[in-house]
């Protein structure tokens, strides 16, 4: 089968690799009908050390179950499923608390250990706990939005939850990538009164407006902080969704948080220590968040997708075949594309 393998920075190749197969009795094999390139894939795309063996990329997919191991109970061949970016057993202490990304038997797709979804097929560990069966036909028009339940919509929702968004609150979203845009959807869905997007790309601003953002700040650094404060009555916002992961983004997040605010961070942090600990401390600002337990959110978000109340699939502005995946990475890295859907 064919798969996207990253060998180093700016070096993604489509190769023939050994077929995905069952290894453990709890595994399934899924044929990928739709996958994605993620903003988080751009970190290794820019800084991965050269590797002889490479890394099979991709952690978002919708597909069809092709085979199940003897211990799999809930899935059957030909089920249409959505795959969260982390696998989990669904039964351990943390899964039962809704924190599937901390599953004691869990892990992440598209890593050195577990192959990724930018491929014709992939092996799913802990298949019963991981996969969510969709009661839709494989060619359903809702597929782009359903695909976002793999990661970006669940991650935006997690940022909003960690930032304690609720009815009537003033919210700011730092980052205009697919997760930030889904964060706008999530904030609107949870009843925010004001949603300020910090971003500067006209196509993304237009989409954020359609998703419910009310104000836009294109400045950066101190100027951005000043502008958000002006827009939010002088003191800053109640909730900040930090969807980037850089030191600068976190500094902005703390700078625009009003006393008592919460920051939900979902961008993988590329800083050692959380910046501005003292101002955050004196403002009683909560800093929460982490990898989103998207498996826990599918059931909650699914009805809104199926009934068309939210359309997170609009973040996909390119559709590409597997052979074009290297070009997809380039286009996302150059900010020519918001998010690429891959159809192997
Ligand atoms: Zn678990």
């Amino acid at each position: 089968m064919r798969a996207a393998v990253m060998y180093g920075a700016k070096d993604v190749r489509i190769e023939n690799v050994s077929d995905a197969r069952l290894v453990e009795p709890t595994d399934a094999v899924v044929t990928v009908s739709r996958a994605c390139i993620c903003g988080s894939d751009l970190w290794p795309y820019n800084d991965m050390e050269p590797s002889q063996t490479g890394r099979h990329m991709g952690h978002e997919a919708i597909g069809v179950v092709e085979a199940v191991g003897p211990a799999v109970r809930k899935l059957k061949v030909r089920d249409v499923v959505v795959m969260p970016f982390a696998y989990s057993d669904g039964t351990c202490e943390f899964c039962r608390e809704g924190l599937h990304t901390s599953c004691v038997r869990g892990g992440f797709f598209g890593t050195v250990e577990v192959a990724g979804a930018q491929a014709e097929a992939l092996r799913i560990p802990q298949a019963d706990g991981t996969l969510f069966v969709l009661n839709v036909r494989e060619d359903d028009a809702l597929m782009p939005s359903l695909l976002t339940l793999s990661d970006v919509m669940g991650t935006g929702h997690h940022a909003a939850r960690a930032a304690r968004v609720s009815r009537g609150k003033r919210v700011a979203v730092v980052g205009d990538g697919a997760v930030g845009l889904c964060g706008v959807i999530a904030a609107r869905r949870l009843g925010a009164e004001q949603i300020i997007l910090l971003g500067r790309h006209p196509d993304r601003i237009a989409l954020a407006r359609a998703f419910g953002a009310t104000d836009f700040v294109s400045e950066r650094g101190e100027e951005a902080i000043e502008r958000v404060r002006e827009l939010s009555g002088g003191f800053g916002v109640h909730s900040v969704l930090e969807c980037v992961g850089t030191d600068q983004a976190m500094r902005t997040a703390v700078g625009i948080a009003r006393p008592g605010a919460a920051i939900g961070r979902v961008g993988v942090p590329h800083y050692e220590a959380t910046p501005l600990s003292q101002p955050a401390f004196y403002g009683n600002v909560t800093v929460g968040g982490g990898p989103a337990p998207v498996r826990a959110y599918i059931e909650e978000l699914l009805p809104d997708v199926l009934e068309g109340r939210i359309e997170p699939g609009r973040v996909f502005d390119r559709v590409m075949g597997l052979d074009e995946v290297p070009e997809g990475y380039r286009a996302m890295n150059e900010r020519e594309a918001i998010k690429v859907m891959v159809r192997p």
Side-chain angles (χ1 to χ4, degrees), residues 85 98-101 154 158 290-298:
F85 66 80
L99 198 56
H100 297 67
T101 41
H158 188 57
V294 297
R295 181 64 181 77
Y297 297 140
I298 294 175

Side-chain angles (χ1 to χ4, degrees), residues 87-96 99-100 102-106:
Y87 59 89
S88 55
D89 63 5
T91 56
C92 79
E93 191 168 340
F94 296 105
C95 285
R96 289 201 309 272
L99 198 56
H100 297 67
S102 293
C103 177
V104 298
R105 279 173 285 273

Side-chain angles (χ1 to χ4, degrees), residues 4 32 38 226 228:
V32 177
C38 185
E226 224 165 273
V228 173

Side-chain angles (χ1 to χ4, degrees), residues 83-227:
M83 179 197 99
F85 66 80
Y87 59 89
S88 55
D89 63 5
T91 56
C92 79
E93 191 168 340
F94 296 105
C95 285
R96 289 201 309 272
E97 289 173 6
L99 198 56
H100 297 67
T101 41
S102 293
C103 177
V104 298
R105 279 173 285 273
F108 297 92
F109 291 103
T111 55
V112 174
E113 298 80 30
V114 180
Q118 291 161 13
E120 289 179 309
L122 85 165
R123 170 190 165 236
I124 311 288
Q126 304 294 341
D128 268 343
T130 303
L131 296 175
F132 189 99
V133 178
L134 295 168
N135 238 333
V136 293
R137 288 212 325 279
E138 204 281 313
D139 62 349
D140 196 287
L142 294 169
M143 281 294 170
S145 286
L146 293 169
L147 179 57
T148 67
L149 300 178
S150 261
D151 184 349
V152 289
M153 185 58 224
T155 296
H157 179 66
H158 188 57
R161 279 293 187 80
R164 299 192 201 138
V165 175
S166 63
R167 196 152 298 284
K169 293 288 175 63
R170 296 180 188 273
V171 176
V173 178
V174 180
D176 61 3
V179 170
L181 293 168
C182 287
V184 171
I185 296 175
R188 171 80 183 271
R189 188 177 164 277
L190 293 170
E193 181 179 291
Q194 183 182 30
I195 304 173
I196 304 167
L197 180 81
L198 286 82
R200 46 178 49 205
H201 301 87
D203 52 337
R204 299 169 186 221
I205 287 171
L207 194 50
R209 191 186 300 279
F211 285 162
T214 55
D215 300 275
F216 302 89
V217 170
S218 59
E219 290 88 347
R220 283 187 174 169
E222 284 305 317
E223 287 176 9
I225 291 169
E226 224 165 273
R227 187 84 189 99

